[in-house]
Every structure is written in structure tokens, then in C-alpha cells.
Amino acid sequence: MLCALGTAVCFGTASVLQAVAARATAPGSGSGVDAVLLMRVVRQWRYVAGLALDAIGFVLEVAALRLIPIYAVGAALASSLAVTAVTAAWVMRTRLSGVEWAAVLTVCGGLGLLGLASGAEGHETGSMALKVGTLCVGFAVLAIGAAGGRLPGRARPAVLGLGAGIGFGVVEVAVRLVDDVSPGAVLTNPAAYAVLVGGGSAFLLLTSALQRGSVTAATAGMVIGETLGPSLVGVIWLGDRTRDGLAPMAIAGFVLAVLGALALARFGEAPAAGPSESADESRPGLAREDQGGA
């Protein structure tokens, strides 16, 4: 659980550092993904530090997935929004409303309940059908992106965010399905390729969602996609369980952590402006687009 919480701290802090670096970089001339802007922003130590934290967070995530149930790791990953919110309030002087502070406390309380109720990870290694199915879902994320990118208005970022969440969920499940890390076993395990396909697809969809619409809608979809599906897979097929008699506590903790994260969805990308952002949830996404999609 400490590894999972460390992942949330790394990912949440990295979002703020990268947002600060993007704000300090002159915007590009175009819209969408600006390769020139990316080359400029990676020269800033804050952005590089954010990337380093992302790498450390991923290592901690893998360690957590090998030790505790997927549902606990998924809830902890969603809680990175609480870390981003608190860090942004301090570093970027973003004002949190009373409701958002309550959401931060709700996330913390939910994770506390999960920590008390979670058992060890399940010992099932997954069938070959599940491994192949996980890889297929990773490719399906690309199809979701192709379809979602054509939708109008708020539906587009919501669907793209949901697809990104499913892709990140594929990574969570696939890590558990790679039980033998010897080179020969990895090369013949479809789950190993699912890690790459799911993670890459999720990154593309989330980037597109944040560039083209509301951060809140995209992040809400992502939180749902990366928590619910993988948690069910862990419980149904991989043997994840709670401590004896504490299943209701685990369910309550999971629900509280996810609901709290959804309430903080506008921090899916650290705010690029001041307190007035909370009045218009679409503005962070527009600010990101104006920065060239860093």
C-alpha cells in the first residue's frame, strides 16, 4: 500500500511540475501536439523532474500490483488527483473550494479504509485466454479513440478519457499476468505486449482528450475506466480478496476514494491559471491547447 501511495504522490506532483514548466515556456504557433514546444519544455528542470517522478511512480506501481489487490492500486492511482490539487494550491496558488478540500479528505479517508481492509494479492496467474483478451482490449482502446475523436462537444473528451482509463487499466491487469519475467517467457506472453499497447494507447487518447476539450470530462472518464474494470478482473479472475469480514469496509473505501477523485477531476491537468478557473471547468483544457498541447 505504501508503494501505491508513493505512486500517487509521484504522479500527482509530476503533473504540477510539468504544468509549471509548460507555463514558463513560450507557446507554439499551432494547435494540437507541438513538437517544437516539447523540445523547448524538456530543457526545463521542472519538466525533467516531472518525467523522473513519472518513471519512479511507474516502478512503484508495478511493485504495488505484485503485492496488493488491483482494486487498492487503482483507487490509489485515482487519488493522485488529490495530490495534484494540494500541490497546485501550494505551488501554483490555485484556490481550492471547500467542496474540493472535502474531496481531498474523502480520498484520504477512503484510502485509509482500503489500507485496513485489503488482503494480499490473489495468487491466480490468469489463463491464456485472459492474457490474449487483455491484449485485445489494448487494441480496442485505439478503436475507441478513433470513434471518440469524431464525437461532438463534451462527449468527445469524456469518451477519449474513458478509453484512456481503460488503457491504463489494461496495464494494471497485464502487469499481474506477467508472472514469469525471464526473457523467453516475456516474449511469448501476450500480457507483456498488452502493457505496451495499453499504455501507449492510453497516453495518446488522454493527450488528445486534454487538448480538445474539458479536462474535467476527460479525467472523470479516465478515473472510471482505470478503476472499475481492472478491480472486477482482479476479484473475479485473479483471486483478489479482502481481509476476513472486511469486504464492506473495502467497498466503502473504494467508493469514497473514487468519488473523491471524481470531485477533483478538474485537476486531471494541473491548472494553468489562478482561482477563477473553478468558475469554468473547460478553461484548463483551453489553456492547455493554447500552450500547444505540452
Side-chain angles (χ1 to χ4, degrees):
M1 197 65 188
L2 289 176
C3 288
L5 294 176
T7 298
V9 171
C10 288
F11 287 169
T13 306
S15 294
V16 177
L17 290 174
Q18 289 162 354
V20 171
R23 287 178 62 189
T25 304
S29 58
S31 61
V33 178
D34 187 340
V36 176
L37 174 63
L38 181 61
M39 292 297 295
R40 290 199 298 269
V41 79
V42 295
R43 298 173 186 172
Q44 298 200 36
W45 70 267
R46 291 182 181 86
Y47 194 86
V48 175
L51 292 178
L53 284 174
D54 282 334
I56 295 171
F58 179 73
V59 173
L60 291 174
E61 178 187 355
V62 171
L65 286 167
R66 309 294 292 188
L67 296 170
I68 61 175
I70 293 177
Y71 62 78
V73 178
L77 291 178
S79 75
S80 66
L81 292 172
V83 177
T84 297
V86 173
T87 307
W90 175 51
V91 174
M92 304 178 73
R93 298 178 182 177
T94 299
R95 182 177 302 167
L96 301 185
S97 67
V99 172
E100 288 170 335
W101 278 116
V104 171
L105 294 176
T106 299
V107 168
C108 293
L111 290 176
L113 292 177
L114 270 176
L116 291 173
S118 297
E121 66 159 336
H123 298 296
E124 301 294 331
T125 57
S127 64
M128 180 56 68
L130 181 58
K131 295 174 182 178
V132 173
T134 302
L135 178 58
C136 291
V137 172
F139 282 113
V141 170
L142 293 175
I144 293 173
R150 296 186 176 92
L151 295 175
R154 290 177 60 85
R156 180 172 60 243
V159 171
L160 290 176
L162 178 63
I166 294 173
F168 289 130
V170 165
V171 174
E172 295 173 35
V173 174
V175 167
R176 282 281 299 276
L177 296 177
V178 181
D179 53 318
D180 185 347
V181 295
S182 62
V186 169
L187 290 175
T188 57
N189 189 340
Y193 300 100
V195 173
L196 301 177
V197 174
S201 301
F203 179 79
L204 289 174
L205 265 65
L206 183 59
T207 300
S208 179
L210 293 176
Q211 288 171 346
R212 299 181 182 181
S214 166
V215 168
T216 301
T219 305
M222 182 189 70
V223 168
I224 293 172
E226 73 177 351
T227 55
L228 299 184
S231 299
L232 290 175
V233 171
V235 170
I236 296 173
W237 285 291
L238 298 180
D240 288 347
R241 294 293 183 267
T242 64
R243 294 183 182 180
D244 291 341
L246 296 183
M249 180 185 291
I251 294 172
F254 180 85
V255 171
L256 287 174
V258 172
L259 289 179
L262 289 174
L264 296 168
R266 77 179 179 99
F267 291 94
E269 174 63 23
S276 61
E277 282 181 328
S278 60
D280 182 356
E281 67 178 13
S282 67
R283 287 177 63 186
L286 294 176
R288 184 185 180 90
E289 183 171 307
D290 290 342
Q291 293 167 353

